[in-house]
Amino acid sequence: MIVQTELLARNLAALRRANGFTLEEVAVRVGTTRQAVGKWELGESLPDLPHTAALAELYGVTVDALISHDESTLGYPVPPKGKHIFGIVTVGERGEIVLPERAREIFGLQRGSQLVVLGNETAGERGIALVESELMFSYAEKIMKQAGKEE
């Protein structure tokens, strides 16, 4: 329990600073006192469940991430709600990758699921992204309809 208290305290302080809030601003937004927020950030006390939920909502993170994310171990700050870092994958000899199980579960991917592979070669922005094909086709259809209206 001590470790969770320390993680929560560190996460609360880091998220408040990252969002540019004062103790007073957080207190007003979640319905408590500046002193209570300060004690939570120092690990001297714990917020009750309604305040924990309000803090997670304020910072746009999940309650689970708020209380258990360990930046010192993982190397990145508490992720926003709905955003994930699933880990590292290795590209095989034929270019194949295995998506982490948690990613497949969250996005409902199974054998035969189709993804569009997007890429950006621009220096400093270089990267590859995977997008579900149905979503990509939906976007393309909307773009085509909009282009037709503008003609």
Side-chain angles (χ1 to χ4, degrees):
M1 184 65 170
I2 292 174
V3 173
Q4 294 305 118
T5 302
E6 291 172 8
L7 288 176
L8 176 60
R10 279 189 277 169
N11 289 339
L12 289 173
L15 286 164
R16 181 179 57 78
R17 286 190 303 272
N19 284 277
F21 295 144
T22 65
L23 290 171
E24 182 68 34
E25 289 171 322
V26 172
V28 168
R29 290 174 184 238
V30 300
T32 191
T33 65
R34 178 185 57 78
Q35 292 83 356
V37 175
K39 286 182 179 184
W40 299 339
E41 289 187 9
L42 293 172
E44 294 175 1
S45 67
L46 293 169
D48 61 15
L49 192 54
H51 283 115
T52 302
L55 289 161
E57 181 70 25
L58 173 65
Y59 295 129
V61 301
T62 65
V63 170
D64 180 52
L66 187 64
I67 63 175
S68 64
H69 182 85
D70 187 355
E71 181 176 351
S72 63
T73 300
L74 297 169
Y76 57 89
V78 178
K81 190 184 308 183
K83 309 290 184 191
H84 305 275
I85 296 177
F86 293 109
I88 297 172
V89 297
T90 302
V91 177
E93 286 183 35
R94 297 178 49 210
E96 70 278 4
I97 61 170
V98 176
L99 298 176
E101 182 178 5
R102 185 73 180 128
R104 295 190 312 265
E105 287 173 357
I106 288 173
F107 293 100
L109 300 174
Q110 53 195 340
R111 182 182 199 103
S113 293
Q114 294 186 327
L115 303 171
V116 176
V117 181
L118 305 173
N120 183 349
E121 295 182 69
T122 307
E125 298 176 7
R126 185 177 163 97
I128 296 174
L130 302 174
V131 179
E132 292 177 80
S133 61
E134 295 84 17
L135 179 62
M136 197 67 188
F137 293 137
S138 171
Y139 285 149
E141 187 176 313
K142 288 178 185 177
I143 290 168
M144 296 303 288
K145 284 181 181 177
Q146 186 63 34
K149 288 180 184 178
E150 293 176 1
E151 288 182 6

